[in-house]
Amino acid sequence: MKRIESKINTSSAEFQANAAHNRKVVDDFRELQRKARDDRPQRDIDRLRSQNKLLVRERLKLLLDPGTPFLEFSSLAANDAYDGDVPGAACVTGIGIVSGREVVINAGDASVKGGAWYPLTVKKTVRALDIAIENRLPVVHLCDSAGGFLPLQADLFADKYMAGRIFRNQCQLSKMGVQQVSVVLGHCTAGGAYVPGLSDYNVIVRGTGAIFLAGPPLVKAATGEDVSVEDLGGCDMHTSVSGTADYPASSEEEAIAIARDIVAQFKRPQKTHIEWQEPEAPFYDPSELYGVIPKDIKQQFDIREVIARLVDGSRFHEYQPNYGKTLICGYAHLWGYKIGILGNNGVLFNDSSLKGAHFIELCNQNKTPILFLQNITGFMVGREYERRGITKDGAKMIMAVSCSEVPKFTVMCNGSFGAGNYGMSGRAFDSRFLFAWPQSQISVMGAEQAANTLADVKVRQLAKQGKKLTQEDIDAIRDPVLGEFKRKQSAYWSTSEMWDDGILDPADTRNALGIALSASLSAPIGDPRYGIFRM
């Protein structure tokens, strides 16, 4: 493969200004992430210490193999929800290495509302188990939760993708032969009791761990029975009487050590074979991505400059370089794995849509995973393009994306607007992993276009009623829409709602994708099949 020749002058004033701006954006992201991970009221820390409990990240340190990476999902989940009181959605999820095996980790954070499940806690947990199912990865559950947050029970209990989906996913993993171990470090109450109950193995800590469908107060209210936590669902009862738990432990450290030993007995998956070669660092420094991305999201840049700072040796075999030039397609290696890449260099026209659909078919034919690098305003609109069949050609690309069997990975590098999000494997299209950069934006259209459209509609409605609006009246309609769109198209809103699997520092993207690629190969790749391509 040929090395990409970068056209960027890293000494230019423009590059330096972009780099300074984006480093500040990343620094702000890092600080928000630090707060979400570490800042807790002292009373909550003291409460856990008094119970001889570790903090969730201390538990992770004991669980993970020393010196190995941990790919955390949605570290800023719920960042813009619940008045900011539920950092990380009260749980930590991700992929890590335990006893030499790639596993999904689902850990309750009892320093946040006692680890209570909020609606976004449930969504984050379900997503982690979806990742385990899609990639056939074992799961380690670190259980410490006060149960569902009752004031919001209507938003977390009954529907298809609410709390019951956690247990359904656990059952599906078991059906697939994918193993799970739970470590009961605190109370597992009500539905939470089924997390260890549905695991292949579970460990429970004496004195702090407990499993019951109803705690002592609810038992008293329901039956009049007075019973202690230990008698109702403690370590010794469940490991010697009910058999609900398998291994007793006298401390969290011992419990986690037992869990590591259990994982060491898990069978190693037979990885799907794809083309691989010795990894090589990019020729161009990934930290130069800060200068590649413009300060202004409306300013275009060459996606090849991003590719050059992600892939091995900065080498890239470009497919159809002279056709459909607003979509860059081609092959590269990333951490040794061969991948196909689709990256936006402008709006999707008829030719670029057809090129993308064809390239996706080629990747499926030779079982090559696909990386989508999004910077897209959408498909081209207008009379001429509709006559050429842009809807039909866009539908071909969406069909190819939807029916793709190979693992897909998506990074929202800048803009992700309108149906372009769909064609480039947005959240609805089952990418194995989808990440965002901190300056990226996502919405059905740009904030200015949305505000102008809605203001224009309102002006026409009032004009039909014989009313004339001043510019001040129009601004009063437009400005609130503009402000709300800008707030909700930011990467922080998107990641708070878990429309992605987390925000990445651009310079870390190569490493995150390497972990994701390796994890995805624990699952087999099916043979390509498609629906109807409208010709």
Side-chain angles (χ1 to χ4, degrees):
M1 292 183 185
K2 185 178 172 185
R3 181 187 298 157
I4 293 172
E5 293 297 327
S6 177
K7 305 283 196 302
I8 286 181
N9 177 6
T10 57
S11 301
S12 70
E14 181 182 22
F15 181 92
Q16 296 299 327
N18 288 340
H21 171 82
N22 286 313
R23 285 183 188 280
K24 174 65 166 57
V25 169
V26 169
D27 287 345
D28 292 344
F29 157 64
R30 290 288 190 192
E31 178 58 15
L32 280 173
Q33 190 176 60
R34 186 202 64 75
K35 288 179 178 178
R37 286 172 170 172
D38 301 327
D39 284 4
R40 299 292 183 271
Q42 190 59 45
R43 68 178 182 277
D44 290 323
I45 296 173
D46 293 343
R47 171 176 52 81
L48 294 177
R49 296 302 188 206
S50 70
Q51 297 169 350
N52 296 318
K53 288 185 176 183
L54 299 172
L55 299 177
V56 66
R57 293 185 187 276
E58 294 171 336
R59 293 167 174 171
L60 287 174
K61 187 174 180 181
L62 291 173
L63 178 66
L64 295 167
D65 290 359
T68 59
F70 177 59
L71 178 59
E72 184 174 353
F73 305 141
S74 302
S75 61
L76 296 181
N79 183 65
D80 283 347
Y82 317 125
D83 298 321
D85 290 339
V86 189
C91 64
V92 178
T93 62
I95 293 176
I97 309 298
V98 176
S99 298
R101 289 150 176 83
E102 292 168 326
V103 302
V104 168
I105 296 169
N106 168 37
D109 185 352
S111 70
V112 180
K113 309 295 184 182
W117 289 0
Y118 281 70
L120 286 172
T121 315
V122 171
K123 186 175 182 179
K124 185 171 178 178
T125 306
V126 169
R127 174 58 185 153
L129 295 178
D130 281 342
I131 288 170
I133 289 170
E134 291 165 356
N135 300 287
R136 300 203 179 180
L137 296 175
V139 183
V140 177
H141 303 272
L142 301 181
C143 306
D144 193 355
S145 170
F149 184 66
L150 293 181
L152 296 178
Q153 66 83 25
D155 298 320
L156 63 84
F157 173 66
D159 206 357
K160 182 174 181 178
Y161 292 101
M162 292 183 181
R165 194 74 175 185
I166 296 172
F167 317 128
R168 176 267 182 193
N169 278 1
Q170 286 190 266
C171 294
Q172 291 298 310
L173 284 165
S174 186
K175 176 182 175 181
M176 294 163 61
V178 179
Q179 293 172 294
Q180 301 171 75
V181 57
S182 287
V183 187
V184 181
L185 302 156
H187 288 188
C188 293
T189 307
Y194 291 113
V195 175
L198 290 168
S199 294
D200 300 86
Y201 304 90
N202 66 61
V203 187
I204 184 169
V205 178
R206 183 176 291 109
T208 54
I211 304 169
F212 31 56
L213 295 181
L218 186 53
V219 169
K220 173 69 173 176
T223 70
E225 180 183 11
D226 283 307
V227 62
S228 70
V229 168
E230 288 302 310
D231 282 345
L232 183 63
C235 170
D236 291 327
M237 192 284 288
H238 276 314
T239 55
S240 63
V241 178
S242 75
T244 300
D246 304 317
Y247 302 88
S250 58
S251 67
E252 292 199 6
E253 290 85 354
E254 183 186 5
I256 292 170
I258 293 170
R260 283 182 49 81
D261 198 34
I262 292 168
V263 174
Q265 315 312 313
F266 287 178
K267 60 186 178 186
R268 293 181 184 273
Q270 187 68 41
K271 293 269 191 175
T272 295
H273 177 73
I274 65 170
E275 185 179 316
W276 187 86
Q277 61 188 31
E278 279 299 319
E280 181 183 352
F283 180 78
Y284 301 102
D285 189 342
S287 68
E288 291 177 358
L289 288 167
Y290 301 134
V292 169
I293 305 300
K295 294 187 295 180
D296 183 355
I297 197 166
K298 296 176 185 176
Q299 184 179 339
Q300 189 61 43
F301 62 92
D302 189 347
I303 201 69
R304 296 180 189 87
E305 300 288 355
V306 171
I307 296 169
R309 290 156 179 85
L310 294 179
V311 303
D312 291 6
S314 302
R315 289 188 297 274
F316 182 59
H317 173 86
E318 187 169 346
Y319 171 72
Q320 288 192 323
N322 295 325
Y323 179 73
K325 293 184 179 182
T326 60
L327 183 66
I328 305 304
C329 301
Y331 298 106
H333 288 81
L334 193 149
W335 280 106
Y337 298 107
K338 183 181 178 183
I339 58 171
I341 299 175
L342 289 86
N344 300 118
N345 256 6
V347 68
L348 286 165
F349 290 95
N350 299 73
D351 53 1
S352 45
S353 302
L354 293 171
K355 173 180 171 180
H358 191 167
F359 184 69
I360 291 167
E361 289 183 285
L362 293 174
C363 289
N364 274 268
Q365 185 183 59
N366 57 32
K367 291 186 165 40
T368 301
I370 304 173
L371 171 62
F372 293 84
L373 299 175
Q374 289 192 0
N375 179 31
I376 180 65
T377 55
F379 290 90
M380 191 61 192
V381 298
R383 180 176 180 273
E384 176 187 351
Y385 299 99
E386 292 295 352
R387 290 173 70 85
R388 291 186 195 175
I390 186 62
T391 300
K392 185 170 65 173
D393 292 339
K396 292 185 182 74
M397 187 173 179
I398 289 171
M399 179 68 75
V401 170
S402 300
C403 298
S404 180
E405 290 286 343
V406 298
K408 304 191 297 280
F409 310 88
T410 304
V411 179
M412 293 191 292
C413 298
N414 214 36
S416 181
F417 296 108
N421 170 274
Y422 301 161
M424 290 296 292
S425 197
R427 189 59 148 178
F429 292 84
D430 295 325
S431 287
R432 297 289 183 90
F433 301 89
L434 186 151
F435 301 108
W437 285 355
Q439 87 298 335
S440 67
Q441 297 178 13
I442 176 172
S443 64
V444 71
M445 63 179 69
E448 288 80 6
Q449 293 95 318
N452 290 336
T453 298
L454 291 173
D456 185 53
V457 169
K458 190 67 175 176
V459 168
R460 290 184 190 182
Q461 287 174 345
L462 293 173
K464 288 179 181 178
Q465 300 169 17
K467 297 178 183 177
K468 268 188 108 172
L469 296 182
T470 66
Q471 186 59 48
E472 188 176 315
D473 294 330
I474 294 171
D475 290 342
I477 297 169
R478 182 181 182 277
D479 291 349
V481 175
L482 184 63
E484 186 71 353
F485 249 80
K486 284 185 174 180
R487 184 172 77 89
K488 291 189 174 180
Q489 71 184 21
S490 78
Y492 294 110
W493 176 270
S494 172
T495 206
S496 177
E497 294 294 310
M498 278 177 287
W499 298 345
D500 54 50
D501 293 315
I503 294 177
L504 295 177
D505 178 340
D508 290 341
T509 303
R510 170 179 162 84
N511 292 336
L513 289 173
I515 297 170
L517 264 164
S518 174
S520 75
L521 297 177
S522 294
I525 298 175
D527 294 326
R529 286 185 61 191
Y530 302 97
I532 299 299
F533 288 91
R534 181 175 291 277
M535 308 306 287

